[in-house]
Amino acid sequence: MAAVLKSALPSLTVTPIPPPPEPQVLVSDDFNRPDGDLNGSVAQTGQAWTVSQAAVTVAGNKMTPGTGSGRTAIIEAGQSDVDITVDVNYVPGGAAGVIFRVLAPTTDRWGIFLQSGLEMRLYRLVGSASSIATSANSTTVPSMSTLTGSHVLRVRVKGQVIKVWVDGIECLTHTMSPEDAAASAAWTKVGTLTSAASAMWDNFVVKEAL
């Protein structure tokens, strides 16, 4: 009787839960190539860099700017919602960081910068008019109390929300206005900007923000 009851029970099929999708790598560049001008130089993912001034170069397998302010290097990511990580070697005396949702590097962009005074600032530039969206300092970001040297900077923008990490520590969150988010939704370039001649970048990776 027990055997009959057992055989009458329906068999259960266990469907495994699939792992979450891996984000697509949109841009990747380790700058491991001969020294030279970055302008026109091609990343591992095939896109070419464009620089605002010819002083941005590849030197010692790193992206390195020359002397002067506003040195930008941009590359096409193909979409505006991105997750960027980059190694930034910073020496106080200027600003160095990444730009994202870039339409044109000198007129329309968002950017996050490590700055003198042990501070991090999120800038919004629209139509050449610059404003500080928000900032963080060494009291909220422990690793920024020793800002000089190499840091891993991560910036994730999805929809209206921008999040920033330094050395794995989440240190800044900003929600764009609906108007700013809509205006920048089609700005798909990313890159770097500096006014600190000693700054260097390495391992520039951009993934889709899932």
Side-chain angles (χ1 to χ4, degrees):
M1 184 68 177
V4 172
L5 290 174
K6 183 176 180 181
S7 63
L9 293 175
S11 61
L12 298 177
T13 302
V14 178
T15 303
I17 299 173
E22 287 291 323
Q24 179 186 356
V25 176
L26 306 172
V27 180
S28 181
D29 202 341
D30 59 11
F31 307 105
N32 289 346
R33 48 188 176 274
D35 293 358
D37 190 356
L38 183 68
N39 193 46
S41 183
V42 177
Q44 274 79 45
T45 41
Q47 307 96 316
W49 288 92
T50 302
V51 304
S52 65
Q53 301 182 48
V56 182
T57 64
V58 174
N61 295 330
K62 299 182 187 299
M63 181 198 293
T64 306
T67 304
S69 62
R71 307 286 183 177
T72 62
I74 59 174
I75 195 166
E76 181 61 62
Q79 59 189 60
S80 58
D81 284 351
V82 292
D83 195 329
I84 305 168
T85 58
V86 61
D87 297 338
V88 183
N89 192 73
Y90 177 72
V91 176
V98 299
I99 52 179
F100 51 93
R101 290 211 174 179
V102 180
L103 175 64
T106 57
T107 59
D108 299 280
R109 67 168 189 256
W110 285 79
I112 186 77
F113 306 112
L114 307 178
Q115 294 196 262
S116 295
L118 303 179
E119 187 175 50
M120 170 181 289
R121 287 184 175 181
L122 176 68
Y123 278 97
R124 166 187 176 273
L125 182 67
V126 177
S128 300
S130 179
S131 61
I132 300 172
T134 189
S135 63
N137 57 37
S138 59
T139 62
T140 55
V141 188
S143 64
M144 291 181 68
S145 62
T146 54
L147 187 58
T148 301
S150 183
H151 297 271
V152 178
L153 178 61
R154 179 187 174 197
V155 182
R156 182 180 186 273
V157 54
K158 184 173 178 62
Q160 292 178 239
V161 180
I162 301 167
K163 289 183 177 289
V164 182
W165 294 258
V166 176
D167 299 330
I169 301 170
E170 184 176 333
C171 57
L172 186 150
T173 300
H174 175 75
T175 301
M176 299 182 191
S177 69
E179 294 78 13
D180 281 342
S184 62
W187 301 356
T188 57
K189 294 181 175 65
V190 296
T192 66
L193 183 146
T194 186
S195 61
S198 299
M200 293 182 291
W201 290 266
D202 201 3
N203 301 316
F204 187 89
V205 177
V206 184
K207 298 180 181 180
E208 61 179 334
L210 297 178

